[in-house]
Amino acid sequence: MSDGTLPDQDENGGERLEHRWAVLATSIIVLLIAMAVFAGVHQAVLPQSRVETADPRTLHLGGEFIESNLGSALQPDGSVVVRAVGQQYSFTPQCILVPTDTPITFRVTSADVVHGFLITGTSINLMLVPGYISSIPARFSTPGERHMPCHEFCGFGHEGMWGRIKVIDKAEFARLAADTGRLNCVAQ
Ligand code: CUA
């Protein structure tokens, strides 16, 4: 409580403060290292939950992306699955047929290099990576025709690589699907 003790207290206080900052700075560094390690380990041990693969060398020989299985298929639950393949420099099928007001799942892969799958006027935008299946849910409310340009540079023919997608009335689609297993609009 006397005047004599004040300078000592100040000096001790300064040291304590410096110590506290040192501890704080070290803690932040340790925390950042721990976060980086955790993020790295987490990503390594828990890869994406749904990675689907398709061997680009054997797509035409069998399995989900064999040519006879491409196009739009009406499912027992009323939804539609569209399967397509991108390759230098076209899409198969060249014209995709889908119904209005129906949950649709696009499943697309590449047979050679990286391509882009984009439907104009929608948020549908996929990258087609050989070896992997790209999947996206969709729903179209109005009938009409849209373009489907490849948007990843894939070689000299990239500019000419594009397809069409035609949205038709749900009832009309169901009628066509009753006759044929896999639908497309290539001939239309
Ligand atoms: Cu395929 Cu660009």
Side-chain angles (χ1 to χ4, degrees):
M1 298 292 170
S2 71
D3 321 336
T5 57
L6 273 172
D8 278 355
Q9 275 184 346
D10 270 3
E11 221 168 85
N12 286 340
E15 257 175 48
R16 236 179 287 137
L17 193 64
E18 216 170 286
H19 181 70
R20 247 180 260 158
W21 276 112
V23 169
L24 182 67
T26 310
S27 307
I28 290 173
I29 292 168
V30 169
L31 179 69
L32 289 176
I33 292 171
M35 281 164 67
V37 169
F38 175 78
V41 170
H42 187 261
Q43 207 167 348
V45 299
L46 292 174
Q48 275 181 289
S49 57
R50 278 189 72 238
V51 174
E52 292 181 276
T53 58
D55 188 344
R57 291 162 304 181
T58 56
L59 290 181
H60 60 296
L61 299 177
E64 184 178 350
F65 292 94
I66 194 164
E67 196 161 0
S68 57
N69 202 37
L70 299 179
S72 311
L74 188 60
Q75 306 299 299
D77 66 356
S79 67
V80 167
V81 174
V82 177
R83 293 185 180 84
V85 172
Q87 61 205 310
Q88 289 167 321
Y89 297 99
S90 63
F91 292 101
T92 309
Q94 192 69 27
C95 182
I96 290 174
L97 192 69
V98 290
T100 52
D101 297 317
T102 305
I104 297 164
T105 305
F106 286 94
R107 291 175 63 78
V108 196
T109 189
S110 167
D112 40 39
V113 299
V114 174
H115 297 283
F117 182 89
L118 176 149
I119 298 175
T120 54
T122 71
S123 58
I124 296 165
N125 185 338
L126 296 171
M127 201 186 220
L128 310 183
V129 182
Y132 296 92
I133 300 169
S134 301
S135 177
I136 194 169
R139 200 183 180 96
F140 297 89
S141 51
T142 49
E145 205 172 304
R146 295 170 189 279
H147 289 291
M148 215 172 66
C150 172
H151 63 84
E152 293 285 344
F153 182 77
C154 51
F156 291 118
H158 164 71
E159 295 299 324
M161 181 171 175
W162 62 279
R164 289 180 300 142
I165 177 154
K166 203 170 168 185
V167 185
I168 62 167
D169 184 69
K170 196 177 176 173
E172 168 76 353
F173 185 92
R175 195 181 59 74
L176 292 171
D179 299 339
T180 326
R182 300 286 179 271
L183 293 176
N184 65 60
C185 44
V186 173
Q188 295 175 35

